[in-house]
Amino acid sequence: MGVVAIATGAAGYAYEAWRNAAQPVSAARDKSVARLMATQLPDLENRLQAIEQWRGKVVVVNFWATWCAPCREEIPVFVRLQDKFRDRGLQFVGIAIDRPDNVRPYAAELGMNFPVLIGGVDVIDLTRALGNRAAVLPYTVVIDRQGRVAAVEMGAAKERQLTALLASLL
């Protein structure tokens, strides 16, 4: 019983730490979610995919590139969390700012179990609109079921904090 209380307390603490580390949510960023949801990008088979198709789920959109070392570190975390929370309505979406011929073998090597889309340099502008003023990668945006930005993370996401946040949203 004591272990459960400690674990629950730790999860709550981790969630608050994640929330406090995230950039403040603004009305402008929420407007940018509409732009994100309207975005259509090709997947690894070159089929256009609309982000809108995952509306109503908790959507974690991760902007990354194959040359980005912190991106490589966090992708296994996303794979584990997609497996853990898929049945509760979670959807990770990776948007690689890279060339498809670089992304395909990379995604296969890391066992990416969520949609991987290919974005061009114009996607950087979208990340800026979502709060990534420095245009750094990786950049992660968590969107709740109501289509609002719940959190953003500049740099590699931390598994414990992300897990706590997702558990609270699902």
Side-chain angles (χ1 to χ4, degrees):
M1 186 72 148
V3 172
V4 172
I6 291 170
T8 302
Y13 175 79
Y15 172 72
E16 287 305 313
W18 166 275
R19 281 271 202 199
N20 292 335
Q23 296 177 10
V25 175
S26 68
R29 192 174 312 136
D30 282 342
K31 283 183 180 180
S32 298
V33 171
R35 180 177 163 199
L36 172 65
M37 295 306 257
T39 299
Q40 292 188 25
L41 296 169
D43 63 17
L44 295 177
E45 286 78 39
N46 204 32
R47 293 180 305 225
L48 280 181
Q49 300 290 331
I51 307 296
E52 177 73 30
Q53 69 185 295
W54 297 294
R55 184 175 294 280
K57 294 185 175 206
V58 173
V59 182
V60 179
V61 180
N62 176 250
F63 297 90
W64 62 282
T66 59
W67 46 261
C68 167
C71 300
R72 186 173 189 85
E73 292 172 19
E74 72 180 358
I75 288 173
V77 170
F78 297 159
V79 168
R80 285 192 295 276
L81 292 175
Q82 181 65 53
D83 278 341
K84 181 176 183 174
F85 292 121
R86 172 182 286 118
D87 293 339
R88 291 177 56 191
L90 174 67
Q91 184 61 63
F92 275 85
V93 178
I95 299 178
I97 302 169
D98 213 324
R99 294 189 349 241
D101 56 326
N102 290 339
V103 176
R104 282 185 198 97
Y106 188 93
E109 177 190 343
L110 293 177
M112 296 175 79
N113 58 354
F114 49 86
V116 177
L117 309 179
I118 308 295
V121 176
D122 56 323
V123 171
I124 295 289
D125 289 336
L126 179 57
T127 72
R128 283 191 175 113
L130 290 162
N132 186 7
R133 291 181 199 100
V136 301
L137 294 177
Y139 189 71
T140 304
V141 180
V142 180
I143 302 168
D144 68 15
R145 291 181 191 273
Q146 290 72 44
R148 297 180 306 242
V149 174
V152 297
E153 180 71 23
M154 193 175 303
K158 314 302 182 282
E159 186 167 6
R160 187 180 314 172
Q161 290 90 345
L162 184 55
T163 301
L165 173 65
L166 295 174
S168 74
L169 295 173
L170 293 168

